[in-house]
Amino acid sequence: MELLCPAGSLPAVKAAVDHGADAIYIGFKDATNARHFAGLNFDGKKLDKAVDYLKKHQRQLHIAINTFAHPEQHQLWYSAIDRAVEIGADVVILADIALLEYAKNTYPDLTVHLSVQASATNASAIEFYHRNFNVKRVVLPRVLSIHQVKQLSRACPNMELEVFAFGSLCVMAEGRCYLSSYLTGESPNTVGACSPASFVRWQETEQGLESRLNDILIDRYGPNETAGYPTLCKGRFEVDGERYHALEEPTSLNTLELLPELFAANISAVKIEGRQRSPAYVAQVTQVWREAIDSYQAQPEQYAAKQQWMSQLAKLSEGSQTTLGAYQKAWQ
Amino acid sequence: MKYSLGPILYYWPNQKIEEFYHLAKASSADIVYLGETVCSKRRNMKAQDWIDMAKQLSQAGKQVVISTMALLEAPSEIRNLKKLIDNGDFCIEANDFSAVEEAYKAKLPFVCGPAINIYNAYALKVLLDQGMQRWVMPVELSRDWLQKLSHECTEMGIRERFEIEVFAYGHLPLAYSARCFTAQSEGKSKDNCETCCINYPTGRVVNSQEGQPLFVLNGIQTLSGECYDLINDQQSMKGLVDIVRISPLGEESIEHLEAFRLRSNTGDHFPTPDSVNGYWHQIAGIRQQD
């Protein structure tokens, strides 16, 4: 099982490699990837250095080109694929069928993984991508229970499956959420960012600290509450006069406890979320997961998620809470 | 311009569904979409019931399309999808690539629904080769986007091969989740939801703490809190859009379809308080622009 870790910067690449990642995923410094934030991602010399570091340490490089090409601007996206090939990336992660078609026709030997943004959640959808584009691996959206993941694995024996292991929890089927564009006009699918920072505003008021997105109130915090980033699916709203997290609480996904089941489901890779996170975060999460995977592989029967790992990861989580999310049946 | 009634997004009792389609038969709608697109636990209408309803509408002279689910996670959901595809008469609206795959295998033409991510002409070309006949633009896209995309299609020589439909009225489908938010709002889990969404025929409104309507909970689907309405934007659709879609909120939506048609050729302003049209104007969907 591959441990696939995120990097938004060169120090994060080094942190992931040095702490045991098998593979790293990155994006270019433009709207072609779904984590398009200022100060993040790669081009020029930093890209070359990242590639060198990975080659020297013999780790795999995945490049996410997982937004959707704009009309009359497809060349920007096609060029991103060309560039990924030129620098010797091992894998490109794609979502747009236009890009999948281009990659298949132009680089038939290139390894292509289907991005979570393509939202393939069942065997027939996976078959579509396999038949048309010879996709080698599918990254599963965070909407499936572990039972459903196992079913899929049995139904698609020739397809590698990758699941999210740890990090921010996207509560909606990825690639199919327009909540952010509804409030801001900027879409994860087209611009590559959810709740873009330029629309975020914090305000101290008599009623407490307020977080706003494009002037719309997302949450209001009491003096002792930890304030979260105003991702709108994690705000507190009112339904029939009752105020609560109507969509999702600010928690992070942590599947350490499920590791034996993920092995049993023949999962090819576990993915850590967080290209927008610091190198220190990447280092710590990578280290814990490396230990966990090694510990399982050394003695599968003895495996248990250590309390120390769990508390280390909890400290790195939103609201210091972790959840098994959709993987556990109770959540459904 | 042709006018369509989109699939009912909410969970209505069978009698309300029958009454709605009884009126739809008598309406001037050119195309009627029907079927469950949101949640497979909404089972009052079985696959065969939808197909029978489709036949009745077809006999009344409507072009009928059977809409399919957007988020399919279980093998049972794929089996139900195949039943709808094997209906023998009607084309389907694919809202997931699983439906594209199954329609292709069954050699059945399909409409690419708004829940499939298509953002450019090259992606449309791929779907045309699979049997697509009509494309419903993703709701978050604008007139400007459509114009560029349409131009691209013309240059590629594929524009004449399919129709373009725009979601022009109703609460916008914005997201799909593993969680059922309606069940959650009643303190229930999804497994024990008792299909409580049947109690909310137009969903449950989510307001900000300042009372601004933001979203509507509709089972696992999140809709826009405000109603999208492009009735006054029809002049700007000329030459660009073939079909205007009205998403049903109730029987009165059929009257609104007639109002749309009446204003298709006039610049008369129709009053639309509490509605939004931002996406069409390339700004935040929640905003309104005259």
Side-chain angles (χ1 to χ4, degrees):
Chain A
M1 183 184 284
E2 179 183 274
L3 175 58
L4 176 59
C5 296
S9 65
L10 187 55
V13 169
K14 292 180 176 168
V17 169
D18 297 351
H19 290 84
D22 297 309
I24 315 288
Y25 66 103
I26 67 170
F28 294 131
K29 224 175 179 54
D30 56 32
T32 62
N33 80 89
R35 283 283 183 278
H36 181 216
F37 290 113
L40 277 192
N41 303 319
F42 293 82
D43 62 3
K45 281 194 181 138
K46 292 223 169 108
L47 177 61
D48 297 338
K49 283 186 179 166
V51 174
D52 287 346
Y53 200 79
L54 290 164
K55 298 260 182 247
K56 192 173 134 204
H57 291 85
Q58 296 180 311
R59 311 298 166 88
Q60 296 256 308
L61 171 61
H62 298 201
I63 306 225
I65 305 170
N66 56 352
T67 51
F68 294 79
H70 297 207
E72 298 182 348
Q73 290 176 41
H74 63 274
Q75 204 49 51
L76 175 67
W77 277 262
Y78 288 4
S79 301
I81 297 176
D82 299 339
R83 196 161 17 139
V85 172
E86 273 163 33
I87 62 171
D90 299 286
V91 170
V92 291
I93 310 171
L94 306 176
D96 184 344
I97 58 174
L99 304 188
L100 286 158
E101 178 86 351
Y102 175 78
K104 181 192 73 174
N105 292 338
T106 319
Y107 306 106
D109 297 328
L110 178 64
T111 303
V112 174
H113 291 178
L114 189 70
S115 168
V116 70
Q117 297 298 119
S119 203
T121 54
N122 58 70
S124 296
I126 289 174
E127 178 58 26
F128 171 83
Y129 289 105
H130 182 64
R131 176 173 62 81
N132 287 289
F133 311 114
N134 200 24
V135 165
K136 190 175 179 215
R137 182 188 290 178
V138 171
V139 188
L140 296 179
R142 282 160 278 190
V143 294
L144 300 174
S145 68
I146 189 71
H147 173 67
Q148 288 166 337
V149 171
K150 286 179 180 167
Q151 273 180 332
L152 257 190
S153 176
R154 281 196 298 272
C156 309
N158 300 319
M159 180 62 73
E160 290 185 9
L161 299 180
E162 177 176 312
V163 300
F164 277 87
F166 184 82
S168 286
L169 184 66
C170 206
V171 63
M172 304 302 180
E174 288 94 334
R176 284 166 157 192
C177 177
Y178 305 144
L179 298 188
S180 179
S181 77
Y182 180 61
L183 261 63
T184 69
E186 292 196 5
S187 156
N189 283 355
T190 58
V191 182
C194 173
S195 307
S198 58
F199 290 93
V200 171
R201 195 152 54 88
W202 297 94
Q203 217 173 341
E204 278 293 355
T205 70
E206 284 178 358
Q207 291 141 303
L209 177 67
E210 290 178 352
S211 62
R212 288 177 183 270
L213 189 66
N214 202 10
D215 292 333
I216 294 160
L217 184 64
I218 302 300
D219 212 341
R220 206 174 253 161
Y221 300 92
N224 298 318
E225 284 185 310
T226 324
Y229 189 82
T231 314
L232 29 103
C233 58
K234 291 171 187 168
R236 268 177 296 196
F237 306 117
E238 289 176 356
V239 179
D240 276 339
E242 202 186 324
R243 180 175 303 177
Y244 67 108
H245 289 102
L247 298 169
E248 177 58 17
E249 293 183 3
T251 58
S252 289
L253 178 72
N254 178 12
T255 61
L256 264 189
E257 291 168 46
L258 285 180
L259 199 52
E261 296 203 63
L262 297 174
F263 268 100
N266 203 23
I267 294 302
S268 299
V270 281
K271 181 171 219 151
I272 308 298
E273 186 276 345
R275 280 191 279 148
Q276 70 283 24
R277 301 293 193 140
S278 69
Y281 173 97
V282 172
Q284 288 187 58
V285 180
T286 304
Q287 186 175 26
V288 168
W289 275 86
R290 182 76 271 155
E291 264 187 57
I293 292 170
D294 290 349
S295 147
Y296 177 86
Q297 285 179 316
Q299 287 182 302
E301 304 300 324
Q302 310 297 318
Y303 177 85
K306 285 187 193 161
Q307 199 46 50
Q308 180 208 337
W309 299 338
M310 296 299 276
S311 55
Q312 233 175 309
L313 293 180
K315 280 185 211 144
L316 302 167
S317 302
E318 280 184 79
S320 299
Q321 297 182 75
T322 62
T323 172
L324 286 165
Y327 290 117
Q328 69 181 352
K329 199 68 182 145
W331 203 65
Q332 312 244 340
Chain B
M1 196 89 84
K2 285 191 276 189
Y3 291 84
S4 73
L5 286 169
I8 298 165
L9 301 178
Y10 309 96
Y11 194 32
W12 291 353
N14 283 9
Q15 194 188 342
K16 186 173 164 75
I17 293 174
E18 280 161 23
E19 284 165 7
F20 180 82
Y21 286 117
H22 182 70
L23 293 172
K25 267 187 239 173
S27 76
S28 76
D30 302 289
I31 304 160
V32 179
Y33 291 81
L34 47 79
E36 175 56 49
T37 59
V38 177
C39 178
S40 57
K41 295 178 83 174
R42 298 172 173 184
R43 288 188 203 105
N44 281 350
M45 291 281 286
K46 308 274 186 292
Q48 193 56 49
D49 298 329
W50 286 118
I51 294 168
D52 292 344
M53 181 71 82
K55 285 178 182 154
Q56 288 177 33
L57 281 153
S58 176
Q59 280 158 12
K62 302 299 178 196
Q63 188 195 131
V64 183
V65 180
I66 297 184
S67 292
T68 59
M69 295 249 299
L71 181 61
L72 296 101
E73 300 166 299
S76 58
E77 292 168 341
I78 299 289
R79 284 195 293 275
N80 196 53
L81 170 71
K82 287 180 184 169
K83 267 189 219 167
L84 294 170
I85 286 172
D86 291 339
N87 69 72
D89 287 306
F90 305 105
C91 107
I92 61 139
E93 176 181 63
N95 279 306
D96 181 69
F97 277 107
S98 54
V100 172
E101 178 66 13
E102 296 303 330
Y104 171 83
K105 283 199 264 181
K107 297 187 170 58
L108 184 74
F110 64 90
V111 176
C112 174
I116 287 186
N117 282 327
I118 297 295
Y119 286 90
N120 56 68
Y122 295 87
L124 279 172
K125 169 76 168 56
V126 173
L127 285 189
L128 282 168
D129 295 341
Q130 309 287 319
M132 185 193 80
Q133 296 197 330
R134 182 184 300 154
W135 173 56
V136 189
M137 182 173 80
V139 298
E140 69 166 346
L141 295 184
S142 63
R143 177 182 188 274
D144 181 66
W145 194 291
L146 180 59
Q147 203 164 26
K148 286 181 180 152
L149 180 144
S150 180
H151 180 241
E152 209 172 33
C153 287
T154 305
E155 287 196 328
M156 288 166 68
I158 59 170
R159 178 62 193 91
E160 300 308 315
R161 288 174 60 192
F162 65 98
E163 294 175 306
I164 292 175
E165 179 166 341
V166 166
F167 187 109
Y169 176 81
H171 291 265
L172 297 156
L174 296 177
Y176 303 87
S177 175
R179 292 197 100 160
C180 176
F181 303 119
T182 307
Q184 189 182 327
S185 76
E186 289 203 349
K188 296 182 170 82
S189 70
K190 186 165 139 193
D191 273 352
N192 297 306
C193 70
E194 297 164 19
T195 46
C196 58
C197 48
I198 204 156
N199 299 321
Y200 308 100
T202 50
R204 293 200 88 175
V205 177
V206 176
N207 289 319
S208 77
Q209 293 181 37
E210 293 176 318
Q212 179 177 12
L214 296 183
F215 305 118
V216 167
L217 307 178
N218 177 36
I220 63 137
Q221 183 181 56
T222 307
L223 300 162
S224 63
E226 303 279 8
C227 185
Y228 194 58
D229 194 346
L230 300 184
I231 191 167
N232 295 318
D233 292 292
Q234 291 187 91
Q235 292 297 322
S236 67
M237 294 181 187
K238 291 279 154 68
L240 199 56
V241 176
D242 301 306
I243 299 155
V244 167
R245 173 177 292 203
I246 310 296
S247 179
L249 294 174
E251 292 167 358
E252 66 281 8
S253 298
I254 295 176
E255 289 166 34
H256 204 63
L257 182 148
E258 309 295 354
F260 254 83
R261 192 186 287 280
L262 277 173
R263 277 160 185 80
S264 66
N265 286 314
T266 70
D268 290 1
H269 193 82
F270 188 86
T272 53
D274 303 324
S275 75
V276 295
N277 64 0
Y279 274 142
W280 184 248
H281 294 272
Q282 214 177 2
I283 54 176
I286 197 168
R287 305 289 188 215
Q288 170 73 28
Q289 183 165 303
D290 290 331

